Amino acid sequence: MSLQERYEEHHRERRDEGDFVFVPERIPLFLAAIGRGKRVLDLGCRSGALTQHFLDGNSVVGLDVDAAALEKAAARGIEPVQANVEEPLPFDDAAFEAVVAGELFEHLQFPDALVAEIRRVLVPGGVLVGSVPNAFRIQSRLHFLRGRPPEDDPTHLRMFSPRGLHELLAGFDRVELSYVGGRYARLHARLFARDLVFSAVRS
């Protein structure tokens, strides 16, 4: 089974091809980081359920390996590009003013290679914004203590802590992290939040 077929099946079975926004608390943070009047690249955009929220006032290219999901993205006004983010991005240097990587890095064998590609396609001063699951929250730790995997998504290859994200984004300036999602996040965001949202600026 090819990577495209695997993700088409995964989206269909688990997430209905991405037609809802996982952890919607991310949206205002993404909007604030991206702004308006930008050429934006959304990596792993799937059907554009999240991407559509920052379409207004921006020109957005959505890249994904899932051709079926990209058809829905195109219908939303997103310029679709089918490609694998584990390979060099099919864009010129300094082609975008913002890059989005929402719930993406945890799926990659070599996220550092993609971060280098993101830096290449961003203009100086361009922003990278994205999110990863908060893999070391209390719920995940309890799963581990019970002898179960911390996460149940078979496409997740990496787990990120705040320190791990800072290390991954060491080549960027002004790295900022926020903790969002989860009913108990207000009690202790770092321990209970579902997601880590990050933003960083290309030097």
Side-chain angles (χ1 to χ4, degrees):
M1 181 182 292
S2 71
L3 185 66
Q4 174 190 337
E5 291 169 335
R6 187 174 299 276
Y7 269 95
E8 285 181 355
E9 180 180 342
H10 174 70
H11 293 161
R12 188 166 51 248
E13 291 181 353
R14 294 176 59 93
R15 302 280 176 82
D16 192 24
E17 296 187 62
D19 287 333
F20 70 98
V21 178
F22 183 64
V23 190
E25 295 90 342
R26 294 179 294 156
I27 294 171
L29 296 173
F30 280 37
L31 288 172
I34 295 167
R36 295 167 65 90
K38 306 284 180 61
R39 180 164 169 77
V40 181
L41 171 63
D42 189 4
L43 297 170
C45 72
R46 297 167 64 183
S47 67
L50 176 63
T51 321
Q52 65 183 338
H53 291 279
F54 45 85
L55 260 175
D56 187 27
N58 294 306
S59 170
V60 182
V61 175
L63 183 147
D64 204 284
V65 72
D66 185 340
L70 281 175
E71 290 182 7
K72 294 187 176 184
R76 287 176 157 133
I78 300 159
E79 180 184 338
V81 173
Q82 186 179 7
N84 181 356
V85 295
E86 295 270 27
E87 298 174 356
L89 298 176
F91 306 108
D92 293 335
D93 295 356
F96 299 93
E97 294 157 302
V99 173
V100 178
E103 308 297 295
L104 178 65
F105 290 156
E106 68 272 16
H107 295 272
L108 306 182
Q109 289 183 313
F110 304 106
D112 54 329
L114 178 58
V115 168
E117 277 292 281
I118 290 170
R119 194 174 188 283
R120 179 184 68 80
V121 302
L122 272 173
V123 300
V127 64
L128 164 63
V129 61
S131 59
V132 294
N134 183 14
F136 295 91
R137 63 189 176 126
I138 287 291
Q139 184 179 22
S140 297
R141 297 183 191 193
L142 291 175
H143 286 327
F144 184 80
L145 287 173
R146 293 171 183 151
R148 297 166 53 194
E151 299 188 24
D152 64 354
D153 190 327
T155 67
H156 286 191
L157 306 179
R158 298 273 181 162
M159 295 190 298
F160 287 97
S161 65
R163 180 178 177 179
L165 272 178
H166 276 287
E167 291 174 352
L168 181 65
L169 301 175
F172 284 75
D173 293 335
R174 304 205 313 261
V175 178
E176 297 182 4
L177 300 184
S178 301
Y179 301 86
V180 300
R183 69 175 70 176
Y184 300 116
R186 57 186 175 79
L187 300 178
H188 194 299
R190 188 183 181 107
L191 291 178
F192 290 103
R194 299 195 65 169
D195 258 21
L196 297 172
V197 173
F198 58 84
S199 65
V201 176
R202 186 202 187 282
S203 56

